[in-house]
Amino acid sequence: MIRRPPRSTQSRSSAASDVYKRQVEPPGRIWAAIVVDAGASMSAPRADRRETRLEAARRAVSNALDALSLDDRAAIVVADPWPRLVHRFEDPRPLASRRIAELTAADRPAATRAAVQLACSLLEGRANRRLVIVTDGSTKPEIAADGPQPIDVRVERIGDPADNAAILWAAFEPDAQNPLRGQVRVRLGYWGEQPRSITLDVRRAGGAPLLNESATVLPGETKDVVVSDLPADGDKLLAAITSDDAVAADNRVEIRLPLRTPIRVAMIAGPVSGTIRTD
């Protein structure tokens, strides 16, 4: 039987030292959390009309990534109505470009504050922290420091701040007692710098007016407007808001009322069959 000589304590210690060295963070490593705005206003064209704000934001994110060294680490958070992490610090850098290229603008305002909070949570406890915010907004967020080293906050502003009002959705809601009639609910949304008065006009496809109402909406607020007591006659309604804003495509919507006609039953004289009789 051949016995192998035991490894020396020195060789085991040397191996452990090598593992430790590989785990030690390179000096000066930057941990960069990048927040990219993908709210509805980012679908607006820039002043030169050559590209949208989101397309410009993609380039800004790519530039922020290119400014990092191979030892640095980057994470990307999307700021839309549902802020989320799309690229982790541990993910390979080449994947970031593909994930940014797949971004599309949402049809609602971005929850930028929540996205920034998520990005800051990723930087907790790390050294050389950098927060890059790519947005068409102009407000630099308040960042609460969680350690002795502050966060290096950089805001890459894409275009001018964009005030935008939008019709978020419209739906027919049948009456609880009479499903042949109901109401149409239209939800308005607005984001911008100051409160704005929005006028909603609803009319039938043939032009007959049903509602013309103005409401003051705060930035980031939604407001519901109801057109009541409508028959479910299958007609088409046109809803539009009058607003000179960043995105014109979301200022108009069409909704088709359901077609619900009463069922009429004619009875002949004589006894009624039990299969159709009701008491």
Side-chain angles (χ1 to χ4, degrees):
M1 180 176 181
I2 301 176
R3 296 172 177 253
R4 295 182 178 178
R7 292 184 178 180
S8 66
T9 304
Q10 182 177 1
S11 63
R12 288 198 301 269
S13 174
S14 176
S17 176
D18 290 342
V19 172
Y20 174 76
K21 288 179 180 178
R22 289 196 298 268
Q23 293 177 344
V24 169
E25 183 175 311
R29 166 175 284 175
I30 295 175
W31 296 85
I34 303 173
V35 177
V36 53
D37 190 338
S41 63
M42 297 298 284
S43 64
R46 301 189 73 184
D48 56 12
R49 301 287 175 174
R50 295 180 180 177
E51 61 181 356
T52 66
R53 298 183 179 201
L54 185 60
E55 290 169 340
R58 292 194 191 105
R59 285 193 295 101
V61 173
S62 296
N63 293 339
L65 292 172
D66 292 341
L68 301 174
S69 72
L70 294 179
D71 287 333
D72 298 334
R73 295 293 180 263
I76 299 175
V77 174
V78 173
D80 60 12
W82 310 275
R84 62 199 180 279
L85 176 66
V86 297
H87 186 81
R88 304 175 303 168
F89 286 127
E90 300 81 12
D91 293 342
R93 183 80 61 83
L95 289 179
S97 298
R98 187 173 69 187
R99 288 165 177 167
I100 288 300
E102 294 172 348
L103 284 182
T104 58
D107 60 355
R108 286 196 278 168
T112 308
R113 180 178 299 178
V116 169
Q117 291 175 346
L118 173 58
C120 289
S121 70
L122 302 175
L123 297 172
E124 289 181 3
R126 304 187 188 275
N128 302 318
R129 303 179 296 173
R130 179 180 298 174
L131 175 64
V132 180
I133 305 172
V134 182
T135 179
D136 60 356
S138 59
T139 303
K140 189 172 182 178
E142 295 290 335
I143 305 298
D146 64 336
Q149 188 178 46
I151 299 177
D152 176 15
V153 181
R154 305 181 180 186
V155 178
E156 298 289 339
R157 191 154 62 87
I158 306 298
D160 296 325
D163 289 0
N164 192 67
I167 298 178
L168 303 180
W169 54 260
F172 177 80
E173 300 173 348
D175 184 81
Q177 304 299 323
N178 180 11
L180 301 181
R181 302 188 72 85
Q183 64 183 18
V184 167
R185 183 181 299 272
V186 182
R187 176 160 295 177
L188 309 178
Y190 169 69
W191 55 99
E193 299 296 316
Q194 300 294 331
R196 170 175 287 194
S197 177
I198 302 174
T199 300
L200 173 67
D201 181 82
V202 182
R203 58 185 62 240
R204 290 187 174 272
L210 296 174
L211 177 140
N212 187 276
E213 182 175 317
S214 297
T216 298
V217 187
L218 300 177
E221 184 185 46
T222 62
K223 186 176 291 290
D224 289 0
V225 179
V226 173
V227 185
S228 59
D229 196 26
L230 294 172
D233 56 8
D235 195 13
K236 183 169 65 175
L237 304 185
L238 307 176
I241 57 176
T242 55
S243 178
D244 181 18
D245 56 8
V247 184
D250 55 18
N251 292 352
R252 180 182 175 90
V253 70
E254 296 180 358
I255 179 173
R256 176 75 67 176
L257 298 174
L259 180 58
R260 296 175 180 169
T261 55
I263 300 175
R264 304 184 185 278
V265 179
M267 304 301 299
I268 60 174
V272 177
S273 170
T275 59
I276 62 173
R277 185 176 64 244
T278 59
D279 297 327

